[in-house]
C-alpha cells in the first residue's frame, strides 16, 4: 500500500470543541441567595445528581448548566419561601478526568480550567517511549464510544473525560 492509500484508509481526525459545561456527580457548587445567609453555601452534587439545600431539600442538578440550576433554585424559592429571590451559582470544583494508555502515571487527576490533552499528559508524567503522539482517544462521560482527535496543544479536555493515549506502530 502506498503512503497516499494508507493515509486515505485512516478515518478523519476530528477537532474538538466543548459544549457549555453541565453539572455532574462530584461537582461542587456555591449557591448564593442574596440577603439570605441561611440559604447560601457550598454544595456537592450527589451520586444521584442532586444538591441538598436548606429549607428546600433536594433539587435535581445532573445535566444542568450553572444558569439552569440558578433558575431552578430561584423558581423553587419563589414557591412559598421568598418573594423575589436573587440567586447565583458558581462552580467551585469539577469532577476529575481520567487518563490511561501510554503515559507514565495513568490514573485519576483533578480537573483544572483550560485543560488540554497535552497538559493532561504532562500531569500524568508525560508520554512513554511507545506513545502515539499524533492522535488521542477521548470518551465523554455521557457517551458510550470514544472519539479520535488530533493530539495537539489545543485539544480541550472536559471534566469527567477519559483520555486514552494509544501505542504507536512503527
Amino acid at each position: 500500500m502506498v503512503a497516499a492509500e494508507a493515509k486515505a484508509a485512516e478515518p478523519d481526525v476530528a477537532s474538538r470543541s466543548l459544549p457549555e459545561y453541565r453539572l455532574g456527580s462530584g461537582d461542587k457548587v456555591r449557591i448564593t441567595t442574596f440577603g439570605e445567609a441561611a440559604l447560601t453555601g457550598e454544595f456537592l452534587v450527589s451520586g444521584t445528581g442532586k444538591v441538598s439545600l436548606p429549607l428546600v431539600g433536594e433539587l435535581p442538578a445532573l445535566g444542568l448548566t450553572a444558569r439552569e440550576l440558578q433558575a431552578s433554585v430561584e423558581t423553587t424559592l419563589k414557591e412559598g419561601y421568598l418573594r423575589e429571590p436573587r440567586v447565583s451559582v458558581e462552580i467551585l470544583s469539577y469532577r476529575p478526568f481520567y487518563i490511561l494508555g501510554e503515559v507514565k502515571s495513568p490514573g485519576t487527576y483533578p480537573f483544572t480550567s483550560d485543560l488540554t490533552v497535552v497538559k493532561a499528559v504532562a500531569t500524568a508524567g508525560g508520554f512513554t517511549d511507545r506513545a502515539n503522539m499524533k492522535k488521542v482517544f477521548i470518551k465523554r462521560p455521557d457517551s458510550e464510544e470514544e472519539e479520535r482527535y488530533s493530539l495537539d496543544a489545543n485539544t480541550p479536555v472536559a471534566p469527567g473525560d477519559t483520555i486514552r493515549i494509544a501505542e504507536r506502530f512503527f
Side-chain angles (χ1 to χ4, degrees), residues 2-165:
V2 245
E5 289 174 343
K7 187 170 179 134
E10 276 196 39
D12 290 333
V13 177
S15 68
R16 187 171 200 222
S17 64
L18 298 178
E20 186 173 5
Y21 184 71
R22 300 210 168 261
L23 294 168
S25 183
D27 289 335
K28 188 175 187 179
V29 295
R30 176 182 295 128
I31 300 176
T32 304
T33 305
F34 297 99
E36 299 291 333
L39 298 176
T40 296
E42 296 177 2
F43 305 94
L44 193 64
V45 179
S46 71
T48 59
K50 297 179 180 180
V51 291
S52 184
L53 301 175
L55 191 64
V56 214
E58 291 187 330
L59 288 179
L62 185 67
L64 299 180
T65 65
R67 278 182 294 199
E68 290 169 341
L69 179 59
Q70 174 183 327
S72 173
V73 172
E74 284 178 349
T75 300
T76 303
L77 289 173
K78 280 181 188 176
E79 295 170 354
Y81 299 103
L82 299 173
R83 284 193 191 149
E84 290 298 321
R86 291 182 312 151
V87 175
S88 74
V89 174
E90 174 187 5
I91 301 171
L92 296 177
S93 64
Y94 300 88
R95 56 191 176 273
F97 72 93
Y98 310 90
I99 187 163
L100 51 97
E102 296 301 322
V103 292
K104 292 184 180 170
S105 298
T108 304
Y109 293 95
F111 179 83
T112 57
S113 61
D114 298 323
L115 186 66
T116 64
V117 171
V118 172
K119 291 177 186 175
V121 169
T123 302
F127 293 106
T128 64
D129 293 337
R130 298 182 313 235
N132 183 334
M133 293 186 231
K134 294 184 180 182
K135 62 184 174 183
V136 61
F137 297 91
I138 302 175
K139 182 186 169 302
R140 293 199 37 84
D142 57 355
S143 172
E144 294 294 320
E145 301 290 323
E146 61 182 17
E147 293 183 44
R148 178 182 165 186
Y149 298 96
S150 174
L151 201 160
D152 63 37
N154 299 317
T155 304
V157 173
D161 280 354
T162 300
I163 303 163
R164 182 172 62 87
I165 304 296

